[in-house]
Amino acid sequence: ANEQTPSAPRPSLEVPAPAPGVAAPSTPAPSVPAPRRDDTSPEPAPPPAGRSREIAPQVEFFGFAGSGALPSASPGFGAAFGLRGGRFELGLTGQYWLARSAPVQRGSNAEIELSLWTAALRACAWPFLGAWSLRACVASGFGDLSGVGQGVDHAHTGHALYSALSSEVAVRYGKGRLVPLLGIAGGWAVVRPAFGVTLNTRKTEVFRPAQLSRQGLVGLAYQL
């Protein structure tokens, strides 16, 4: 009988269990790169002209011809200072009307010579800004109306308060610092003082400003 030779035992592979309390190593999560800013993106466009909020001081010098405040049409001159931010402006203006005369009686040489200066606070809006610019203003002002008799006895100079509300529309041309301007204005008198003389112990009114006045003006504006 054939005898079978016993086969050699096969080696077994065992994986050691991790030690208690020791965590298995974890695989680190892949890092996600942060999105890069495109350096070639265009810069924000600058604000359109005329919309800047920067305060721009400016001065004006002008001559005018007006009627209503004095006995007849009178020339004069004035100046203004304003602060403009965007499309709005706040400022001060002053005017001087050259003297005009009102006769005391027809056919006589006696008369009263009157002159006027005013100062006003005004607020303006600029609906159009460009090569041609449009400005609309409202103002409240007061002044001194003075008169002196000519060819009368005991002549003296009298002063009285004058006050009016006014509006103005003006246009400018050009974008430089020095630009010409042209405008029209109208006023409504709030206080209208009367001037007169005494004839035969009786006071006679010679002149009182009209309720409405009007002006045409031309000048130059300069941005500081």
Side-chain angles (χ1 to χ4, degrees):
N2 294 331
E3 294 182 358
Q4 296 179 352
T5 303
S7 60
R10 295 178 180 181
S12 62
L13 179 62
E14 296 182 358
V15 179
V22 178
S26 59
T27 304
S31 60
V32 179
R36 293 187 308 169
R37 183 178 177 181
D38 188 3
D39 295 334
T40 61
S41 59
E43 294 294 331
R51 296 186 180 181
S52 174
R53 295 298 178 183
E54 182 181 357
I55 301 300
Q58 51 197 352
V59 294
E60 297 176 5
F61 301 96
F62 55 88
F64 66 87
S67 63
L70 293 180
S72 59
S74 172
F77 54 89
F81 173 79
L83 296 174
R84 182 169 67 85
R87 295 184 181 272
F88 298 96
E89 178 184 340
L90 187 66
L92 296 170
T93 181
Q95 296 183 357
Y96 179 74
W97 301 60
L98 298 180
R100 282 294 181 265
S101 298
V104 173
Q105 285 182 331
R106 288 186 178 182
S108 70
N109 295 326
E111 59 185 14
I112 296 180
E113 187 178 80
L114 298 115
S115 59
L116 172 67
W117 68 262
T118 62
L121 175 67
R122 73 180 183 185
C124 305
W126 293 80
F128 301 107
L129 289 171
W132 287 94
S133 300
L134 176 66
R135 181 186 69 191
C137 304
V138 293
S140 176
F142 65 93
D144 176 68
L145 181 62
S146 62
V148 58
Q150 303 289 341
V152 298
D153 295 333
H154 311 293
H156 66 279
T157 302
H159 297 269
L161 174 67
Y162 175 85
S163 178
L165 303 175
S166 62
S167 60
E168 175 193 310
V169 176
V171 292
R172 294 181 181 179
Y173 178 74
K175 293 186 177 181
R177 287 184 174 272
L178 184 66
V179 295
L181 66 91
L182 183 69
I184 57 174
W188 187 81
V190 178
V191 179
R192 300 188 300 139
F195 282 78
V197 296
T198 301
L199 294 175
N200 300 323
T201 69
R202 183 178 179 180
K203 291 185 178 180
T204 302
E205 181 178 311
V206 175
F207 173 75
R208 183 188 295 267
Q211 191 75 64
L212 298 177
S213 62
R214 61 201 64 86
Q215 291 181 358
L217 59 93
V218 60
L220 293 172
Y222 181 75
Q223 182 173 320
L224 301 176

